[in-house]
Amino acid sequence: MLGERVDSWMRGHEPLVDAAATAVLVACWTLFGVAVRGDGAYFLLTLGLLLPLAVRRRYPAPVAGVVLAVAFVQWLTVRDTIGALPADLAVPIVIHAAAAYGKPWASNGALGVGLAGAVLGGLSWPQLATSAEAHLLTGAFLTSVVVAAWAIGTLAGVRRRQAETLADRARLLERTRIAREMHDVVAHSLAVLIAQADGGRYATSPEARANALTTIADYGRQALAETRRVLGVLRDGPTTEPMPGLGDVPALVEQVRSGGLAVSLEIEAPPDVEPGLGLVAYRIVQEGLTNVLKHAGPCAEAEVSVRWGPRQLEIDVRDDGRGTPGTATSGYGLVGMRERANAYGGVVTLEPRPGGGRVLSARIPL
């Protein structure tokens, strides 16, 4: 648990971590230079190799270029004196950074320059008169360090990009889910409100007008409450409030019936189902009734049927209205219903009904 917290904190404060690590390396190798009485070239090259590491993740290609250039200057000027420096550790670090955080050309370029530097190092070190085998071993060791740093950096870059892709996909799915919820809530409520407002406008009796206004107020409050709940997910994260399910379908039908639509309900006693599937069924019925209110025309009648087959949940919403051309296969509501059903391996269809009207059918495997 502690390790996870430390790792999470470090990931959230990468610039600070890089600056602190660079400061530690500079301090250590500066003290080492003082202890061994290094000359001015030692300290200049040490600072030139280490200081760019503080921004290696933000600017991997420029930092790699600077560090590798300083390393080449070191090879040109001091290879016959102090030779290798402790600060040469910066070379595999920047090669790793270029592979992990840079573009492909930066990664490949850093690898190529690093391998060339390994060959030059094998030629110059060790400085004493030794056999050719010693130079070959030195070059092979430096080459292995460069390749290992590049390979580890490449793997880290792949994992980072995969994590970013998964995070982007999760955000997209969450936005899509919230958009579906908002569409279902707003479209259904507005359809009922519009139907009631039209009915109240043409009503002749005060009682009918009062009933229309009461229904409008009730649906307005319900829509406001559901909208606040959905927006609360955006602001505060997942909510603990119960979501509507199959048990709420009769109340939904009764609300629509009280709004003036003649609708009948046939529902079988369902077995215990998970809340997610119950929400899918509720939203499909809700969207089906919304489409009836919006497109079936005045004096339409609707039938809602929820049945449990041997292998699937069967939902049908039928109407006998005239329908509206061009709405049988399009619209965000139908797209949302299909996305909900597809999550459970189901299908949703909306087809013309013989004799007039349409039938919305959903089949979701159990």
Side-chain angles (χ1 to χ4, degrees), residues 176-228:
T176 303
R177 185 186 69 82
I178 293 174
R180 286 199 303 261
E181 290 291 323
M182 289 298 297
H183 175 274
D184 292 340
V185 171
V186 174
H188 176 72
S189 300
L190 287 181
V192 175
L193 293 177
I194 293 172
Q196 286 298 307
D198 289 340
R201 183 173 57 179
Y202 296 109
T204 57
S205 66
E207 182 180 358
R209 292 178 180 177
N211 290 337
L213 292 175
T214 300
T215 303
I216 290 173
D218 291 341
Y219 266 93
R221 283 189 288 267
Q222 178 182 345
L224 180 61
E226 291 199 39
T227 301
R228 285 175 174 171

Side-chain angles (χ1 to χ4, degrees), residues 86-123:
D88 287 333
L89 176 66
V91 173
I93 292 177
V94 296
I95 292 175
H96 174 277
Y101 305 101
K103 303 292 184 181
W105 63 266
S107 173
N108 296 333
L111 175 63
V113 175
L115 292 177
V119 173
L120 295 178
L123 293 175

Side-chain angles (χ1 to χ4, degrees), residues 142-204:
L142 296 176
T143 300
S144 64
V145 171
V146 169
V147 173
W150 177 83
I152 296 173
T154 300
L155 179 60
V158 170
R159 290 179 175 176
R160 180 177 56 84
R161 287 187 289 272
Q162 288 177 342
E164 292 174 353
T165 301
L166 292 176
D168 291 340
R169 186 178 302 172
R171 285 191 292 269
L172 178 60
L173 291 176
E174 184 64 10
R175 286 197 299 267
T176 303
R177 185 186 69 82
I178 293 174
R180 286 199 303 261
E181 290 291 323
M182 289 298 297
H183 175 274
D184 292 340
V185 171
V186 174
H188 176 72
S189 300
L190 287 181
V192 175
L193 293 177
I194 293 172
Q196 286 298 307
D198 289 340
R201 183 173 57 179
Y202 296 109
T204 57

